[in-house]
Structure formats: C-alpha cells, structure tokens
Amino acid sequence: MASVNADLGLSLDAAANDPMRRECPWYEVWNTCLTEYVFAHSNTETTACSTIPQYSLVWTYDVDVDIDVDDSTSNPSSPDSNRSSPPPGRLSKRSVKIPDFVQVLRRATRPQPSSPPYSRQRVILTVEVKPAVEFESFGSILDNQVAKQVMYAFANDRTLESLGVVLACGLYWGY
C-alpha cells in the first residue's frame, strides 16, 4: 500500500504538469491535504468531519413581487428573514453558490438516553481551487467569488459564528 506522501507527490506532479492547465487535477491535491493532514484525526464516535465536493450553499430571502427578480440586481433582505412563507405581496427567492468543496462537521447527539439520536451538521471550511495563476489574481478571485461563498455560508446557517476559507491556486494557498 502506498503512503499518503507518495500519493500526494503523484497528485502534485499530475496537477502541476497538466498540459491543459485545468482546475480539476488540483482537487485531488487539496482534498488529500485536508483529509490526510488537516482533519486526519477529527472523527470520533459521535463526530464526523467530511470533505464534500460541490456543496450547495443556499440563501433564501424575500423580495417584492412587483420587482424583476434577477440575481444581479435584486437586493436580498437580511439572512435572518422569515424563511418559511413570505408575507402577502412578497416572493421567496432562492440563490445558490457552490464552492469546489467544503468541510462539514457532523455531530450525533442524544438529548436523553431514551430518545433517538439525531445529528447536526455545520460547514466549517470552504475551499475554492484554481489552477496555477499569477499571485496578483488572488485578490480578484477572493473578492469576486470567495467572498460571495462566505456570505452564503453565513446566510445558510444563522448560528454560524466563524468559517475557515481556503483559496488554493496551484501550489499556493491562503487561509
């Protein structure tokens, strides 16, 4: 059985030497880093930490019915708005952002010994991967894509207080 370091080395070599300079070969590299190094010992009897690709961060908000509903021009209300049914004259709008992958923490709980177990989950990290790019591109990727994903993560979970974010561009990354 090959070691994680050897597997990571092969993944790095394949991603760095991809003739088409695609983003997808880097997913394997960063997934391995997260699962085998960063979150290697995070699973317990009642807790699971999982890497999930293409996880949908959903923001549901209300808009006026007579307004043209368009993601680029609509002005969403607070993420704390009523998410069940909109009041008369309002329309519930749903918008989605999808990071390359997220790290989700799940915890199984049992309020009382006789009650059935249930689990809660929370996104604790978003990861956006890009192929090798110039360092100057970090800022625009961060502002144009990653910041929106973070906003949606907080809107998706009103109890979320902090969130880790990784922007990985080839071999370089920021947290």
Side-chain angles (χ1 to χ4, degrees), residues 96-159:
V96 178
K97 297 293 178 205
I98 303 175
D100 290 323
F101 46 96
V102 299
Q103 203 70 26
V104 171
L105 184 64
R106 290 191 182 92
R107 172 180 276 183
T109 58
R110 183 173 283 196
Q112 299 185 358
S114 61
S115 64
Y118 68 95
S119 65
R120 297 185 65 206
Q121 79 173 28
R122 168 167 286 159
V123 173
I124 60 171
L125 178 77
T126 65
V127 180
E128 186 60 35
V129 177
K130 298 294 180 198
V133 296
E134 298 297 321
F135 180 74
E136 294 78 26
S137 299
F138 256 64
S140 75
I141 295 168
L142 194 61
D143 292 342
N144 295 325
Q145 189 172 5
V146 176
K148 290 175 186 170
Q149 293 171 357
V150 169
M151 181 178 73
Y152 276 61
F154 279 98
N156 189 56
D157 181 353
R158 291 179 274 174
T159 64

Side-chain angles (χ1 to χ4, degrees), residues 151-171:
M151 181 178 73
Y152 276 61
F154 279 98
N156 189 56
D157 181 353
R158 291 179 274 174
T159 64
L160 189 63
E161 294 179 9
S162 62
L163 178 69
V165 177
V166 171
L167 172 56
C169 296
L171 290 173

Side-chain angles (χ1 to χ4, degrees), residues 82-103:
N82 180 358
R83 294 174 190 224
S84 54
S85 62
R90 307 221 13 112
L91 175 69
S92 184
K93 175 75 175 150
R94 181 175 174 245
S95 184
V96 178
K97 297 293 178 205
I98 303 175
D100 290 323
F101 46 96
V102 299
Q103 203 70 26

